[in-house]
Amino acid sequence: MRLRALLETEALGLRLLGGQEELDRTVRGVMTTDLRDPSRYLSGGELVLTGLAWRRNSDDSEPFARLLASAGVAGLAAGEAELGDIPDDLVSACRRNRLPLFAVNEDVAFATITEYVVRQVSGERAGDLAAVVDRHRRLMTSGPAGGGPDVVLDLLTTDLDLRAWVLSPTGRQIAGAGEPLAPGICAALASEHLAAVRTGRRGPHRISIQGITYSLFPIRGHGRGTGPAARDVRESVLSDWLLAVEADASDWPAERLDLLQGVTQLIAVERDRRDAARTVRRRLAQEVLELVQTGAPPAEIAARLRVAAPVLLPGLGTAPHWQVVVARVDWDGGDIPGGPVAQSLLEEILVDPSLSGPEPSDRIAVAHAGDEAIALVPLPALSADSGEPAQDKGPDTALHADVLLTAVREPLAAGLAEDGRLTLGVSAAVHSAEGLRGALEEARHARRVAAARPGRVCAAGHHELASHVLLLPFVPDDVRRAFTARLLDPLRDYDRRHRAELIPTLEAFLDCDGSWTRCATRLHLHVNTLRYRVGRIEQLTARDLSRLEDKLDFFLALRMS
């Protein structure tokens, strides 16, 4: 259908604010969003509906309009319920980006527009999709009428006799119709999906397990478009949900395939809602992290923790313990930012795999800084009758690095393929703000221990750290200086005489976890030149940078210098 048809339909109550010359654009779908950057969820041709909750000031309009135009959307319809008249800055931004802009009267529900567009685009599928859109209206309604993705899956079961489940990239069941899938089957389905996406195969993907055939549909539409919005698949493959249907879709008619694609778009609305709900927890984690890393007084950190505790553990009567988990995702070449990917992964990994539903991660706050993600995980404090002081022992529910990745290792390895790596470190539980900085360093050191191991998915806990790491804060200054001088002075002297840059090379080599390729790329060196420099470092210090112990000693010396 054309944009012009929307304007000519009086029941929709649309008013054109700009883009008269673009009204012959074709509308291929509809998406409701209040994200500041929804481009990753767009494939082109959508009518985007927004309540303008993303707009904080006039400077936000231009980047929002530019992102939509780059994604190839057909037009933008903004509701008047939030701000009244549509802001002039948004009108101007859409005009500059040749993006048709409509105002939606506050008396017209977005669900009404959605239903109309879907009916017109669907043609002969109007009957089936009308039911989907009716469920969509309920999905978008807060309160008891909503039901999340389960509502849509129930529709597939009752109306189309299809059993389906929504899975996370780690294989955890988010929603399902009927009996839940066994964890092993979920992991196998997620692994097949991630492997197919990484090899560029087009969905739906088929897999047979125990004599049953499943068809796998990506929840997001990444890679379908060919416009500027298309991104490297590695930016999203480890965060997107998938829809598993108990059926062989290879012989389905185009109409049914399109219907299932529409269902994934409806489920994506729930994913967007969940991501938006995480904003508060992410902000809390970021604020605490900044205070800890800048050396803020413990009283200030404690005050921020008191704010975070009711949000993450509502109704908790006592102050919780806290654990810190640090994760890093590295891709060969270093051209893909790993921080956001690691943040999304941590938010999923830290959920008990036995828990289903989209929101069991409400008690996890994850921030990302650079290429690493940092999770602040609250744990209920020990009860008074446990017989031990809370500061001496973490709660029984503490996270353990050796079991944290057990259930998700297979799917994540498939998603990381041959060019990605996930490393993770877990701190001990601490009971106060004073211990949080040490917990952060502990988790970071543990992650580096994990990075020194082979494998695509590795984790290490605080108990695996060498004793000199744990006792580092208590080492006298003269001992620190002597330790640093023995390791680094020969390199500094050599750099002064030859301008060889051995110290910067050592720092980069350790920061890249000993990866020759990534380190050479970062330093803009040939790998052979890098090998020569590392060899010179080893010769001058009588150390071996392939040994974990020597790597840790160099790392600590650099940190203390």
Side-chain angles (χ1 to χ4, degrees):
M1 65 174 296
R2 306 287 182 180
L3 279 176
R4 191 180 306 279
L6 295 173
L7 192 61
E8 295 171 351
T9 305
E10 294 184 5
L12 300 183
L14 296 178
R15 182 162 48 89
L16 184 65
L17 300 181
Q20 175 73 38
E21 66 282 1
E22 305 290 340
L23 290 180
D24 287 328
R25 290 187 181 184
T26 300
V27 179
R28 298 186 177 89
V30 63
M31 175 188 179
T32 301
T33 184
D34 275 313
L35 296 174
R36 301 185 74 180
D37 180 6
S39 58
R40 63 182 297 187
Y41 311 127
L42 297 168
S43 58
E46 295 93 348
L47 174 67
V48 175
L49 307 176
T50 180
L52 299 178
W54 51 266
R55 183 185 178 275
R56 299 174 184 171
N57 55 59
S58 59
D59 294 335
D60 293 336
S61 294
E62 175 64 29
F64 185 78
R66 189 186 312 121
L67 287 167
L68 295 189
S70 298
V73 305
L76 173 65
E80 295 180 321
E82 181 76 16
L83 301 177
D85 292 338
I86 305 305
D88 291 339
D89 49 89
L90 179 59
V91 176
S92 299
C94 290
R95 184 180 300 114
R96 285 191 296 272
N97 289 277
R98 298 186 63 186
L99 180 65
L101 176 63
F102 301 89
V104 182
N105 189 283
E106 61 180 347
D107 295 328
V108 178
F110 282 177
T112 300
I113 301 174
T114 299
E115 181 173 355
Y116 179 84
V117 172
V118 172
R119 283 183 180 275
Q120 295 300 314
V121 171
S122 304
E124 67 275 10
R125 294 182 292 116
D128 281 344
L129 285 183
V132 174
V133 173
D134 181 63
R135 299 303 179 97
H136 181 210
R137 183 185 294 109
R138 293 177 58 196
L139 184 69
M140 295 295 293
T141 303
S142 60
D150 294 281
V151 171
V152 181
L153 300 187
D154 287 342
L155 173 68
L156 292 179
T157 301
T158 57
D159 291 11
L160 302 179
D161 196 27
L162 291 174
R163 297 179 65 208
W165 301 265
V166 176
L167 305 179
S168 77
T170 63
R172 187 177 63 86
Q173 183 171 313
I174 304 295
E179 291 295 322
L181 292 173
I185 294 179
C186 289
L189 293 174
S191 298
E192 171 63 21
H193 170 73
L194 292 174
V197 171
R198 288 307 314 274
T199 55
R201 284 185 278 154
R202 297 188 62 181
H205 315 299
R206 295 171 58 251
I207 179 176
S208 293
I209 302 176
Q210 300 176 3
I212 300 175
T213 299
Y214 299 88
S215 295
L216 311 177
F217 296 80
I219 297 295
R220 305 301 188 194
H222 302 303
R224 289 180 298 154
T226 57
R231 298 184 177 183
D232 192 307
V233 68
R234 292 176 293 178
E235 294 185 55
S236 59
V237 66
L238 294 176
S239 59
D240 290 345
W241 291 353
L242 67 134
L243 176 67
V245 180
E246 188 181 302
D248 186 349
S250 61
D251 58 353
W252 281 6
E255 292 81 1
R256 176 160 287 205
L257 287 173
D258 286 347
L259 175 59
L260 263 293
Q261 185 61 53
V263 168
T264 65
Q265 292 175 354
L266 298 185
I267 298 173
V269 173
E270 178 65 22
R271 177 63 188 268
D272 294 342
R273 175 182 290 178
R274 189 207 60 166
D275 287 344
R278 285 180 170 178
T279 301
V280 173
R281 299 194 299 276
R282 287 174 171 178
R283 186 179 299 121
L284 285 172
Q286 193 69 45
E287 291 174 353
V288 173
L289 175 63
E290 290 175 358
L291 290 174
V292 170
Q293 294 192 126
T294 56
E300 186 175 355
I301 301 174
R304 182 57 57 186
L305 289 176
R306 284 194 295 272
V307 172
V311 175
L312 299 177
L313 287 175
L316 188 67
T318 57
H321 280 75
W322 299 91
Q323 269 186 289
V324 176
V325 182
V326 174
R328 178 166 174 149
V329 173
D330 292 293
W331 302 103
D332 289 352
D335 55 337
I336 303 297
V341 179
Q343 180 183 45
S344 181
L345 265 184
L346 261 190
E347 288 172 334
E348 180 60 39
I349 290 172
L350 295 177
V351 178
D352 186 336
S354 65
L355 298 177
S356 63
E359 294 297 343
S361 58
D362 280 346
R363 296 182 176 183
I364 299 166
V366 185
H368 76 82
D371 286 333
E372 71 177 8
I374 302 168
L376 186 65
V377 183
L379 304 166
L382 285 177
S383 60
D385 57 0
S386 64
E388 295 184 53
Q391 64 266 27
D392 295 333
K393 177 184 175 184
D396 295 336
T397 54
L399 302 172
H400 297 280
D402 53 348
V403 299
L404 196 56
L405 296 179
T406 300
V408 300
R409 191 178 303 276
E410 178 185 351
L412 291 183
L416 293 164
E418 297 301 319
D419 59 348
R421 194 156 191 254
L422 168 67
T423 51
L424 186 146
V426 182
S427 79
V430 296
H431 77 289
S432 66
E434 288 85 351
L436 205 55
R437 186 173 185 180
L440 175 59
E441 290 303 312
E442 202 170 62
R444 281 176 165 160
H445 287 311
R447 191 206 65 79
R448 289 186 172 275
V449 171
R453 297 170 175 168
R456 291 288 168 189
V457 182
C458 297
H462 61 94
H463 58 283
E464 299 180 67
L465 297 179
S467 60
H468 64 276
V469 176
L470 297 177
L471 299 176
L472 184 60
F474 307 103
V475 176
D477 288 342
D478 56 342
V479 176
R480 291 190 184 206
R481 285 192 293 269
F483 175 74
T484 302
R486 281 197 300 271
L487 278 176
L488 300 185
D489 279 0
L491 306 182
R492 291 177 178 139
D493 293 341
Y494 191 87
D495 281 348
R496 280 194 294 269
R497 293 196 307 270
H498 302 282
R499 297 182 180 179
E501 297 187 349
L502 295 185
I503 292 290
T505 300
L506 176 62
E507 291 175 334
F509 187 74
L510 294 175
D511 195 45
C512 291
D513 297 325
S515 169
W516 298 99
T517 302
R518 290 202 305 273
C519 185
T521 300
R522 176 179 296 189
L523 295 175
H524 305 290
L525 297 175
H526 191 279
V527 172
N528 288 341
T529 303
L530 175 61
R531 291 185 184 277
Y532 173 80
R533 289 188 182 181
V534 170
R536 179 63 68 183
I537 292 171
E538 293 176 334
Q539 182 182 24
L540 291 170
T541 60
R543 298 295 185 110
D544 183 354
L545 277 169
S546 66
R547 298 179 67 248
L548 173 61
E549 293 83 353
D550 289 343
K551 284 182 181 178
L552 285 173
D553 283 345
F554 275 123
F555 171 76
L556 294 172
L558 289 169
R559 290 295 298 269
M560 291 188 295
S561 63

